[in-house]
Amino acid sequence: MQDLKGITFDEFVIIKQKDFSSASGDLSKLLRDIALASKVINREVNKAGLGEILGMTGARNVQGEEVQKLDEYANEQMIKYMKAGGQCCAMGSEEEEDFIIVNEEHAKDAHYVVLFDPLDGSSNIDVNASIGTIFSIYRRVSTGTPTIDDLLQAGKHQVAAGYVIYGSSTMLVYTTGNGVHGFTLDPSIGEFCLSHPNIMTPENGKIYSINEGENNNWPEYVKEYVQYCKENVKEENRPYSLRYIGSMVADLHRNLIKGGIFIYPPTTKAPKGKLRLLYECNPMAFLVEQAGGKATDATNRILDIQPTELHQRVPVFIGSKNMVEKIPTFMKSEAKA
Ligand code: AHM
Ligand code: MG
């Protein structure tokens, strides 16, 4: 790839769109709308502490408007920019019970549906830990009024996916199935600039990320795998290090760059895990696979799962290829026991 480091996200998606002679530019426009919405969310995330002070005075700000929780605010911004952009005919949000049909006149020929978690890891807002926005884009399959089938597509049909991490710097990481590229927000010009072209995740990592407090509620194979991560086997770089923020975007972003496995397993309390297939697992699985990693529910590839409901949950084992491939070997030992 020619050296494009430093160019803006908007310029980059236009250059990439030219690689596809049939491209109309609609997807590029949609991606730019998502980037714009995330900049607006970023602005509020960055002053979250100040917002909380206002909120404590009676949940009304100085203009007399109700002070909104940041996750609600992020949800509203995503919906607003998707509607305004005109490229999205329907959307699903982790914050909305039902999917939303975009009835705007200028969106009547829109080809795309967008699914998003507007602010993932929002329990971390209060403590200034990293949080993120996750998005997933499909081409609609229906004609006429969009239907639920447009949103219930297997992850392998995604045409683009990505996340924005609001961390020590704000980054947008995305894929359209042609590699994974990361852009860092330059606040001085208000643009995401290419900082991490062609991200590839190491095949082996040294990090495992899981909520260890739930250990007693895990199936045996997860307990055994985590025990394996802790064993002293110098030649295999074990023990691995445990790193867990409790914010999927932040945990996965770190593991994507450094190598590692992120696990949200089935538990006795949540037999299907906690994370949502459509808003969290599919987009992350698309990104991680594009970066050379893997994502499964322990047996099935995440991207092959046919969703049956909008808010479906799924266990997830995602990250460095060799680490994820190790999981089924522990399941076999469980079956033997
Ligand atoms: P949210 O979408 O309500 O923020 O919940 C999802 C988050 C993920 O970011 C994170 O990986 C997980 O919940 C942490 O859950 P737990 O506290 O059970 O470990
Ligand atoms: Mg979430």
Side-chain angles (χ1 to χ4, degrees), residues 94 117 119-123 211 244 246-249 251 262 264 274-276 280:
E94 197 189 284
D117 182 354
L119 210 57
D120 183 64
S122 50
S123 65
N211 184 345
Y244 191 72
S247 173
M248 188 193 201
V249 176
D251 281 312
F262 172 92
Y264 208 107
K274 173 185 179 187
L275 300 180
R276 291 77 169 182
E280 291 157 333

Side-chain angles (χ1 to χ4, degrees), residues 11 33 39 41 127 133 139 143 193 252 278:
E11 288 168 329
D33 292 335
K39 285 189 224 175
I41 297 167
V127 293
T133 298
R139 198 164 246 281
T143 50
C193 298
L252 260 175
L278 297 183

Side-chain angles (χ1 to χ4, degrees), residues 260-302:
I261 186 168
F262 172 92
I263 302 173
Y264 208 107
T267 65
T268 42
K269 281 188 278 179
K272 291 183 177 165
K274 173 185 179 187
L275 300 180
R276 291 77 169 182
L277 177 60
L278 297 183
Y279 310 113
E280 291 157 333
C281 299
N282 270 339
M284 290 306 198
F286 190 19
L287 284 162
V288 165
E289 282 200 6
Q290 281 292 312
K294 280 197 129 184
T296 72
D297 66 358
T299 40
N300 307 297
R301 179 183 177 225
I302 292 288

